[in-house]
Amino acid sequence: MQFPKATVILVSAALVFVVWEQFRDRPAPVNSARFTDLSSNPAERSEVVDWVVAQIPALCEQSSGGEKGSTAYSECVKRGESRTSTCRREIYDAFPGVIASESLFRDVSITMMNCLVPQSGLINP
């Protein structure tokens, strides 16, 4: 029986990747102030989508009536997180890669929010 060199190499590479992933620097969370002047400082579509995904708990809190510990809230967060990849694909197919205007930012963020946490009924101003 031969020594499984290929298996050892693949497992070693996977372990190196896992260790590297654990120790690399994480990007700082995006602040909403980043999107205030998009005409002179455009944002990447992925940056906007990441910001909206980070808003899932706040969206679910509004959707469930402000009860953060309720079953409706936790189910909403779970559903929103499970829909993330589907909603990303929808946004990436429908919008350009660079968001350079307030109206485009609004369209991307509202579309993404509605995809992650669909709400029925009228929107109160």
Side-chain angles (χ1 to χ4, degrees), residues 79-111:
R79 262 192 326 268
E81 289 172 349
S82 71
R83 294 180 50 84
T84 301
S85 61
T86 304
C87 295
R88 280 183 191 274
R89 271 185 301 224
E90 183 180 314
I91 295 297
Y92 288 6
D93 290 344
F95 292 98
V98 176
I99 309 301
S101 71
E102 303 298 324
S103 61
L104 188 56
F105 172 79
R106 182 187 63 237
D107 291 346
V108 169
S109 59
I110 289 174
T111 303

PDB file of all heavy atoms in Angstrom, residues 79-111:
ATOM      1  N   ARG A  79     -34.794  33.641   8.468  1.00  0.00           N
ATOM      2  CA  ARG A  79     -35.223  33.677   7.065  1.00  0.00           C
ATOM      3  C   ARG A  79     -34.394  34.658   6.252  1.00  0.00           C
ATOM      4  O   ARG A  79     -34.002  34.368   5.131  1.00  0.00           O
ATOM      5  CB  ARG A  79     -36.703  34.068   6.977  1.00  0.00           C
ATOM      6  CG  ARG A  79     -37.649  32.928   6.821  1.00  0.00           C
ATOM      7  CD  ARG A  79     -39.057  33.375   6.446  1.00  0.00           C
ATOM      8  NE  ARG A  79     -39.474  34.644   7.017  1.00  0.00           N
ATOM      9  CZ  ARG A  79     -40.118  34.798   8.158  1.00  0.00           C
ATOM     10  NH1 ARG A  79     -40.428  33.743   8.874  1.00  0.00           N
ATOM     11  NH2 ARG A  79     -40.472  35.990   8.596  1.00  0.00           N
ATOM     12  N   GLY A  80     -34.147  35.835   6.818  1.00  0.00           N
ATOM     13  CA  GLY A  80     -33.358  36.850   6.114  1.00  0.00           C
ATOM     14  C   GLY A  80     -31.954  36.372   5.822  1.00  0.00           C
ATOM     15  O   GLY A  80     -31.433  36.559   4.718  1.00  0.00           O
ATOM     16  N   GLU A  81     -31.328  35.735   6.809  1.00  0.00           N
ATOM     17  CA  GLU A  81     -29.969  35.232   6.610  1.00  0.00           C
ATOM     18  C   GLU A  81     -29.941  34.091   5.599  1.00  0.00           C
ATOM     19  O   GLU A  81     -28.992  33.971   4.827  1.00  0.00           O
ATOM     20  CB  GLU A  81     -29.369  34.798   7.940  1.00  0.00           C
ATOM     21  CG  GLU A  81     -29.052  35.980   8.839  1.00  0.00           C
ATOM     22  CD  GLU A  81     -28.630  35.589  10.232  1.00  0.00           C
ATOM     23  OE1 GLU A  81     -28.760  34.403  10.608  1.00  0.00           O
ATOM     24  OE2 GLU A  81     -28.167  36.491  10.967  1.00  0.00           O
ATOM     25  N   SER A  82     -30.979  33.275   5.567  1.00  0.00           N
ATOM     26  CA  SER A  82     -30.999  32.174   4.605  1.00  0.00           C
ATOM     27  C   SER A  82     -31.251  32.665   3.177  1.00  0.00           C
ATOM     28  O   SER A  82     -30.885  31.998   2.225  1.00  0.00           O
ATOM     29  CB  SER A  82     -32.054  31.137   4.998  1.00  0.00           C
ATOM     30  OG  SER A  82     -33.357  31.653   4.793  1.00  0.00           O
ATOM     31  N   ARG A  83     -31.841  33.829   3.028  1.00  0.00           N
ATOM     32  CA  ARG A  83     -32.133  34.374   1.701  1.00  0.00           C
ATOM     33  C   ARG A  83     -31.002  35.245   1.152  1.00  0.00           C
ATOM     34  O   ARG A  83     -31.069  35.741   0.043  1.00  0.00           O
ATOM     35  CB  ARG A  83     -33.413  35.203   1.755  1.00  0.00           C
ATOM     36  CG  ARG A  83     -34.653  34.401   2.057  1.00  0.00           C
ATOM     37  CD  ARG A  83     -35.898  35.263   2.098  1.00  0.00           C
ATOM     38  NE  ARG A  83     -36.054  36.126   0.960  1.00  0.00           N
ATOM     39  CZ  ARG A  83     -36.597  35.781  -0.217  1.00  0.00           C
ATOM     40  NH1 ARG A  83     -37.007  34.551  -0.373  1.00  0.00           N
ATOM     41  NH2 ARG A  83     -36.725  36.644  -1.191  1.00  0.00           N
ATOM     42  N   THR A  84     -29.939  35.423   1.913  1.00  0.00           N
ATOM     43  CA  THR A  84     -28.868  36.343   1.533  1.00  0.00           C
ATOM     44  C   THR A  84     -28.290  36.045   0.158  1.00  0.00           C
ATOM     45  O   THR A  84     -28.170  36.939  -0.681  1.00  0.00           O
ATOM     46  CB  THR A  84     -27.751  36.326   2.604  1.00  0.00           C
ATOM     47  OG1 THR A  84     -28.322  36.710   3.844  1.00  0.00           O
ATOM     48  CG2 THR A  84     -26.645  37.277   2.259  1.00  0.00           C
ATOM     49  N   SER A  85     -27.920  34.808  -0.105  1.00  0.00           N
ATOM     50  CA  SER A  85     -27.275  34.501  -1.390  1.00  0.00           C
ATOM     51  C   SER A  85     -28.246  34.660  -2.559  1.00  0.00           C
ATOM     52  O   SER A  85     -27.863  35.167  -3.621  1.00  0.00           O
ATOM     53  CB  SER A  85     -26.669  33.097  -1.379  1.00  0.00           C
ATOM     54  OG  SER A  85     -27.668  32.138  -1.177  1.00  0.00           O
ATOM     55  N   THR A  86     -29.495  34.290  -2.371  1.00  0.00           N
ATOM     56  CA  THR A  86     -30.492  34.463  -3.428  1.00  0.00           C
ATOM     57  C   THR A  86     -30.709  35.942  -3.729  1.00  0.00           C
ATOM     58  O   THR A  86     -30.761  36.343  -4.898  1.00  0.00           O
ATOM     59  CB  THR A  86     -31.830  33.827  -2.998  1.00  0.00           C
ATOM     60  OG1 THR A  86     -31.610  32.467  -2.674  1.00  0.00           O
ATOM     61  CG2 THR A  86     -32.871  33.944  -4.085  1.00  0.00           C
ATOM     62  N   CYS A  87     -30.807  36.746  -2.703  1.00  0.00           N
ATOM     63  CA  CYS A  87     -31.020  38.178  -2.892  1.00  0.00           C
ATOM     64  C   CYS A  87     -29.801  38.841  -3.519  1.00  0.00           C
ATOM     65  O   CYS A  87     -29.929  39.738  -4.346  1.00  0.00           O
ATOM     66  CB  CYS A  87     -31.362  38.834  -1.556  1.00  0.00           C
ATOM     67  SG  CYS A  87     -32.938  38.270  -0.867  1.00  0.00           S
ATOM     68  N   ARG A  88     -28.603  38.418  -3.128  1.00  0.00           N
ATOM     69  CA  ARG A  88     -27.383  38.954  -3.744  1.00  0.00           C
ATOM     70  C   ARG A  88     -27.389  38.710  -5.254  1.00  0.00           C
ATOM     71  O   ARG A  88     -27.087  39.605  -6.025  1.00  0.00           O
ATOM     72  CB  ARG A  88     -26.137  38.296  -3.144  1.00  0.00           C
ATOM     73  CG  ARG A  88     -25.712  38.858  -1.834  1.00  0.00           C
ATOM     74  CD  ARG A  88     -24.424  38.167  -1.381  1.00  0.00           C
ATOM     75  NE  ARG A  88     -24.109  38.489  -0.033  1.00  0.00           N
ATOM     76  CZ  ARG A  88     -23.425  39.558   0.345  1.00  0.00           C
ATOM     77  NH1 ARG A  88     -22.982  40.399  -0.547  1.00  0.00           N
ATOM     78  NH2 ARG A  88     -23.183  39.788   1.614  1.00  0.00           N
ATOM     79  N   ARG A  89     -27.720  37.495  -5.652  1.00  0.00           N
ATOM     80  CA  ARG A  89     -27.758  37.180  -7.095  1.00  0.00           C
ATOM     81  C   ARG A  89     -28.768  38.060  -7.809  1.00  0.00           C
ATOM     82  O   ARG A  89     -28.512  38.539  -8.909  1.00  0.00           O
ATOM     83  CB  ARG A  89     -28.094  35.709  -7.309  1.00  0.00           C
ATOM     84  CG  ARG A  89     -26.872  34.827  -7.340  1.00  0.00           C
ATOM     85  CD  ARG A  89     -27.287  33.456  -7.673  1.00  0.00           C
ATOM     86  NE  ARG A  89     -28.232  33.109  -6.614  1.00  0.00           N
ATOM     87  CZ  ARG A  89     -28.283  31.974  -5.962  1.00  0.00           C
ATOM     88  NH1 ARG A  89     -27.543  31.025  -6.273  1.00  0.00           N
ATOM     89  NH2 ARG A  89     -29.126  31.747  -4.995  1.00  0.00           N
ATOM     90  N   GLU A  90     -29.917  38.258  -7.192  1.00  0.00           N
ATOM     91  CA  GLU A  90     -30.954  39.104  -7.790  1.00  0.00           C
ATOM     92  C   GLU A  90     -30.440  40.528  -7.991  1.00  0.00           C
ATOM     93  O   GLU A  90     -30.627  41.126  -9.047  1.00  0.00           O
ATOM     94  CB  GLU A  90     -32.188  39.105  -6.894  1.00  0.00           C
ATOM     95  CG  GLU A  90     -33.346  39.888  -7.437  1.00  0.00           C
ATOM     96  CD  GLU A  90     -34.537  39.838  -6.499  1.00  0.00           C
ATOM     97  OE1 GLU A  90     -34.890  38.748  -6.017  1.00  0.00           O
ATOM     98  OE2 GLU A  90     -35.120  40.921  -6.256  1.00  0.00           O
ATOM     99  N   ILE A  91     -29.779  41.074  -6.990  1.00  0.00           N
ATOM    100  CA  ILE A  91     -29.251  42.436  -7.067  1.00  0.00           C
ATOM    101  C   ILE A  91     -28.117  42.506  -8.082  1.00  0.00           C
ATOM    102  O   ILE A  91     -28.047  43.434  -8.891  1.00  0.00           O
ATOM    103  CB  ILE A  91     -28.767  42.909  -5.677  1.00  0.00           C
ATOM    104  CG1 ILE A  91     -29.936  43.011  -4.707  1.00  0.00           C
ATOM    105  CG2 ILE A  91     -28.023  44.235  -5.777  1.00  0.00           C
ATOM    106  CD1 ILE A  91     -30.998  44.017  -5.077  1.00  0.00           C
ATOM    107  N   TYR A  92     -27.219  41.523  -8.061  1.00  0.00           N
ATOM    108  CA  TYR A  92     -26.075  41.546  -8.976  1.00  0.00           C
ATOM    109  C   TYR A  92     -26.524  41.438 -10.429  1.00  0.00           C
ATOM    110  O   TYR A  92     -25.867  41.982 -11.313  1.00  0.00           O
ATOM    111  CB  TYR A  92     -25.095  40.430  -8.640  1.00  0.00           C
ATOM    112  CG  TYR A  92     -24.302  40.662  -7.368  1.00  0.00           C
ATOM    113  CD1 TYR A  92     -24.552  41.744  -6.527  1.00  0.00           C
ATOM    114  CD2 TYR A  92     -23.300  39.798  -6.989  1.00  0.00           C
ATOM    115  CE1 TYR A  92     -23.835  41.960  -5.369  1.00  0.00           C
ATOM    116  CE2 TYR A  92     -22.563  40.004  -5.824  1.00  0.00           C
ATOM    117  CZ  TYR A  92     -22.842  41.083  -5.031  1.00  0.00           C
ATOM    118  OH  TYR A  92     -22.119  41.287  -3.885  1.00  0.00           O
ATOM    119  N   ASP A  93     -27.632  40.758 -10.675  1.00  0.00           N
ATOM    120  CA  ASP A  93     -28.149  40.648 -12.042  1.00  0.00           C
ATOM    121  C   ASP A  93     -28.879  41.906 -12.495  1.00  0.00           C
ATOM    122  O   ASP A  93     -28.951  42.187 -13.683  1.00  0.00           O
ATOM    123  CB  ASP A  93     -29.106  39.454 -12.158  1.00  0.00           C
ATOM    124  CG  ASP A  93     -28.392  38.118 -12.066  1.00  0.00           C
ATOM    125  OD1 ASP A  93     -27.145  38.097 -12.224  1.00  0.00           O
ATOM    126  OD2 ASP A  93     -29.062  37.098 -11.830  1.00  0.00           O
ATOM    127  N   ALA A  94     -29.427  42.661 -11.561  1.00  0.00           N
ATOM    128  CA  ALA A  94     -30.307  43.771 -11.918  1.00  0.00           C
ATOM    129  C   ALA A  94     -29.653  45.152 -11.867  1.00  0.00           C
ATOM    130  O   ALA A  94     -30.174  46.089 -12.470  1.00  0.00           O
ATOM    131  CB  ALA A  94     -31.536  43.766 -11.009  1.00  0.00           C
ATOM    132  N   PHE A  95     -28.530  45.294 -11.152  1.00  0.00           N
ATOM    133  CA  PHE A  95     -27.963  46.628 -10.949  1.00  0.00           C
ATOM    134  C   PHE A  95     -26.496  46.673 -11.376  1.00  0.00           C
ATOM    135  O   PHE A  95     -25.809  45.652 -11.350  1.00  0.00           O
ATOM    136  CB  PHE A  95     -28.092  47.033  -9.478  1.00  0.00           C
ATOM    137  CG  PHE A  95     -29.514  47.257  -9.041  1.00  0.00           C
ATOM    138  CD1 PHE A  95     -30.210  46.267  -8.372  1.00  0.00           C
ATOM    139  CD2 PHE A  95     -30.156  48.443  -9.319  1.00  0.00           C
ATOM    140  CE1 PHE A  95     -31.523  46.456  -7.977  1.00  0.00           C
ATOM    141  CE2 PHE A  95     -31.476  48.656  -8.924  1.00  0.00           C
ATOM    142  CZ  PHE A  95     -32.151  47.661  -8.256  1.00  0.00           C
ATOM    143  N   PRO A  96     -26.012  47.869 -11.726  1.00  0.00           N
ATOM    144  CA  PRO A  96     -24.609  48.004 -12.140  1.00  0.00           C
ATOM    145  C   PRO A  96     -23.653  47.797 -10.966  1.00  0.00           C
ATOM    146  O   PRO A  96     -24.047  47.872  -9.799  1.00  0.00           O
ATOM    147  CB  PRO A  96     -24.525  49.442 -12.670  1.00  0.00           C
ATOM    148  CG  PRO A  96     -25.644  50.167 -12.025  1.00  0.00           C
ATOM    149  CD  PRO A  96     -26.731  49.152 -11.806  1.00  0.00           C
ATOM    150  N   GLY A  97     -22.377  47.576 -11.275  1.00  0.00           N
ATOM    151  CA  GLY A  97     -21.367  47.292 -10.270  1.00  0.00           C
ATOM    152  C   GLY A  97     -20.952  48.486  -9.437  1.00  0.00           C
ATOM    153  O   GLY A  97     -20.444  48.331  -8.344  1.00  0.00           O
ATOM    154  N   VAL A  98     -21.163  49.694  -9.968  1.00  0.00           N
ATOM    155  CA  VAL A  98     -20.789  50.909  -9.244  1.00  0.00           C
ATOM    156  C   VAL A  98     -22.053  51.716  -8.965  1.00  0.00           C
ATOM    157  O   VAL A  98     -22.825  52.011  -9.872  1.00  0.00           O
ATOM    158  CB  VAL A  98     -19.786  51.755 -10.059  1.00  0.00           C
ATOM    159  CG1 VAL A  98     -19.479  53.055  -9.351  1.00  0.00           C
ATOM    160  CG2 VAL A  98     -18.505  50.969 -10.299  1.00  0.00           C
ATOM    161  N   ILE A  99     -22.246  52.069  -7.705  1.00  0.00           N
ATOM    162  CA  ILE A  99     -23.404  52.857  -7.291  1.00  0.00           C
ATOM    163  C   ILE A  99     -22.920  54.296  -7.125  1.00  0.00           C
ATOM    164  O   ILE A  99     -22.188  54.604  -6.194  1.00  0.00           O
ATOM    165  CB  ILE A  99     -23.995  52.328  -5.965  1.00  0.00           C
ATOM    166  CG1 ILE A  99     -24.238  50.822  -6.025  1.00  0.00           C
ATOM    167  CG2 ILE A  99     -25.246  53.090  -5.586  1.00  0.00           C
ATOM    168  CD1 ILE A  99     -25.164  50.367  -7.104  1.00  0.00           C
ATOM    169  N   ALA A 100     -23.352  55.162  -8.062  1.00  0.00           N
ATOM    170  CA  ALA A 100     -22.817  56.526  -8.088  1.00  0.00           C
ATOM    171  C   ALA A 100     -23.873  57.604  -7.895  1.00  0.00           C
ATOM    172  O   ALA A 100     -23.594  58.773  -8.090  1.00  0.00           O
ATOM    173  CB  ALA A 100     -22.081  56.756  -9.403  1.00  0.00           C
ATOM    174  N   SER A 101     -25.097  57.219  -7.533  1.00  0.00           N
ATOM    175  CA  SER A 101     -26.131  58.228  -7.304  1.00  0.00           C
ATOM    176  C   SER A 101     -27.011  57.805  -6.134  1.00  0.00           C
ATOM    177  O   SER A 101     -27.138  56.621  -5.828  1.00  0.00           O
ATOM    178  CB  SER A 101     -26.988  58.428  -8.555  1.00  0.00           C
ATOM    179  OG  SER A 101     -27.808  57.300  -8.783  1.00  0.00           O
ATOM    180  N   GLU A 102     -27.627  58.804  -5.524  1.00  0.00           N
ATOM    181  CA  GLU A 102     -28.508  58.542  -4.386  1.00  0.00           C
ATOM    182  C   GLU A 102     -29.717  57.709  -4.807  1.00  0.00           C
ATOM    183  O   GLU A 102     -30.149  56.810  -4.078  1.00  0.00           O
ATOM    184  CB  GLU A 102     -28.973  59.863  -3.762  1.00  0.00           C
ATOM    185  CG  GLU A 102     -27.858  60.780  -3.309  1.00  0.00           C
ATOM    186  CD  GLU A 102     -26.981  60.197  -2.223  1.00  0.00           C
ATOM    187  OE1 GLU A 102     -27.507  59.483  -1.350  1.00  0.00           O
ATOM    188  OE2 GLU A 102     -25.765  60.450  -2.255  1.00  0.00           O
ATOM    189  N   SER A 103     -30.246  57.984  -5.988  1.00  0.00           N
ATOM    190  CA  SER A 103     -31.433  57.241  -6.437  1.00  0.00           C
ATOM    191  C   SER A 103     -31.093  55.779  -6.702  1.00  0.00           C
ATOM    192  O   SER A 103     -31.887  54.885  -6.375  1.00  0.00           O
ATOM    193  CB  SER A 103     -32.031  57.897  -7.680  1.00  0.00           C
ATOM    194  OG  SER A 103     -31.103  57.883  -8.739  1.00  0.00           O
ATOM    195  N   LEU A 104     -29.934  55.506  -7.268  1.00  0.00           N
ATOM    196  CA  LEU A 104     -29.524  54.125  -7.503  1.00  0.00           C
ATOM    197  C   LEU A 104     -29.265  53.411  -6.176  1.00  0.00           C
ATOM    198  O   LEU A 104     -29.648  52.249  -6.008  1.00  0.00           O
ATOM    199  CB  LEU A 104     -28.283  54.084  -8.394  1.00  0.00           C
ATOM    200  CG  LEU A 104     -27.838  52.723  -8.887  1.00  0.00           C
ATOM    201  CD1 LEU A 104     -28.973  52.011  -9.623  1.00  0.00           C
ATOM    202  CD2 LEU A 104     -26.637  52.874  -9.806  1.00  0.00           C
ATOM    203  N   PHE A 105     -28.653  54.110  -5.230  1.00  0.00           N
ATOM    204  CA  PHE A 105     -28.442  53.538  -3.892  1.00  0.00           C
ATOM    205  C   PHE A 105     -29.780  53.188  -3.251  1.00  0.00           C
ATOM    206  O   PHE A 105     -29.942  52.105  -2.683  1.00  0.00           O
ATOM    207  CB  PHE A 105     -27.671  54.517  -2.998  1.00  0.00           C
ATOM    208  CG  PHE A 105     -27.586  54.069  -1.576  1.00  0.00           C
ATOM    209  CD1 PHE A 105     -26.677  53.102  -1.201  1.00  0.00           C
ATOM    210  CD2 PHE A 105     -28.425  54.608  -0.604  1.00  0.00           C
ATOM    211  CE1 PHE A 105     -26.595  52.675   0.124  1.00  0.00           C
ATOM    212  CE2 PHE A 105     -28.351  54.193   0.704  1.00  0.00           C
ATOM    213  CZ  PHE A 105     -27.437  53.223   1.072  1.00  0.00           C
ATOM    214  N   ARG A 106     -30.742  54.093  -3.366  1.00  0.00           N
ATOM    215  CA  ARG A 106     -32.073  53.855  -2.794  1.00  0.00           C
ATOM    216  C   ARG A 106     -32.716  52.634  -3.446  1.00  0.00           C
ATOM    217  O   ARG A 106     -33.253  51.763  -2.753  1.00  0.00           O
ATOM    218  CB  ARG A 106     -32.950  55.086  -2.987  1.00  0.00           C
ATOM    219  CG  ARG A 106     -34.336  54.932  -2.373  1.00  0.00           C
ATOM    220  CD  ARG A 106     -35.251  56.086  -2.726  1.00  0.00           C
ATOM    221  NE  ARG A 106     -35.461  56.110  -4.161  1.00  0.00           N
ATOM    222  CZ  ARG A 106     -35.206  57.144  -4.958  1.00  0.00           C
ATOM    223  NH1 ARG A 106     -34.744  58.267  -4.460  1.00  0.00           N
ATOM    224  NH2 ARG A 106     -35.419  57.079  -6.250  1.00  0.00           N
ATOM    225  N   ASP A 107     -32.623  52.538  -4.774  1.00  0.00           N
ATOM    226  CA  ASP A 107     -33.224  51.401  -5.472  1.00  0.00           C
ATOM    227  C   ASP A 107     -32.576  50.078  -5.067  1.00  0.00           C
ATOM    228  O   ASP A 107     -33.266  49.088  -4.819  1.00  0.00           O
ATOM    229  CB  ASP A 107     -33.122  51.588  -6.983  1.00  0.00           C
ATOM    230  CG  ASP A 107     -33.996  52.710  -7.500  1.00  0.00           C
ATOM    231  OD1 ASP A 107     -34.878  53.184  -6.751  1.00  0.00           O
ATOM    232  OD2 ASP A 107     -33.785  53.142  -8.651  1.00  0.00           O
ATOM    233  N   VAL A 108     -31.249  50.061  -4.997  1.00  0.00           N
ATOM    234  CA  VAL A 108     -30.540  48.840  -4.614  1.00  0.00           C
ATOM    235  C   VAL A 108     -30.881  48.454  -3.178  1.00  0.00           C
ATOM    236  O   VAL A 108     -31.218  47.302  -2.900  1.00  0.00           O
ATOM    237  CB  VAL A 108     -29.005  49.013  -4.765  1.00  0.00           C
ATOM    238  CG1 VAL A 108     -28.258  47.857  -4.129  1.00  0.00           C
ATOM    239  CG2 VAL A 108     -28.619  49.148  -6.222  1.00  0.00           C
ATOM    240  N   SER A 109     -30.822  49.416  -2.263  1.00  0.00           N
ATOM    241  CA  SER A 109     -31.052  49.089  -0.854  1.00  0.00           C
ATOM    242  C   SER A 109     -32.496  48.669  -0.587  1.00  0.00           C
ATOM    243  O   SER A 109     -32.737  47.695   0.138  1.00  0.00           O
ATOM    244  CB  SER A 109     -30.632  50.245   0.054  1.00  0.00           C
ATOM    245  OG  SER A 109     -31.337  51.410  -0.261  1.00  0.00           O
ATOM    246  N   ILE A 110     -33.456  49.355  -1.187  1.00  0.00           N
ATOM    247  CA  ILE A 110     -34.858  48.980  -0.969  1.00  0.00           C
ATOM    248  C   ILE A 110     -35.164  47.621  -1.586  1.00  0.00           C
ATOM    249  O   ILE A 110     -35.843  46.788  -0.973  1.00  0.00           O
ATOM    250  CB  ILE A 110     -35.810  50.070  -1.508  1.00  0.00           C
ATOM    251  CG1 ILE A 110     -35.729  51.306  -0.606  1.00  0.00           C
ATOM    252  CG2 ILE A 110     -37.245  49.558  -1.588  1.00  0.00           C
ATOM    253  CD1 ILE A 110     -36.501  52.498  -1.112  1.00  0.00           C
ATOM    254  N   THR A 111     -34.636  47.373  -2.790  1.00  0.00           N
ATOM    255  CA  THR A 111     -34.851  46.071  -3.423  1.00  0.00           C
ATOM    256  C   THR A 111     -34.245  44.962  -2.580  1.00  0.00           C
ATOM    257  O   THR A 111     -34.859  43.910  -2.380  1.00  0.00           O
ATOM    258  CB  THR A 111     -34.244  46.059  -4.840  1.00  0.00           C
ATOM    259  OG1 THR A 111     -34.812  47.124  -5.604  1.00  0.00           O
ATOM    260  CG2 THR A 111     -34.502  44.746  -5.540  1.00  0.00           C
TER     261      THR A 111
END
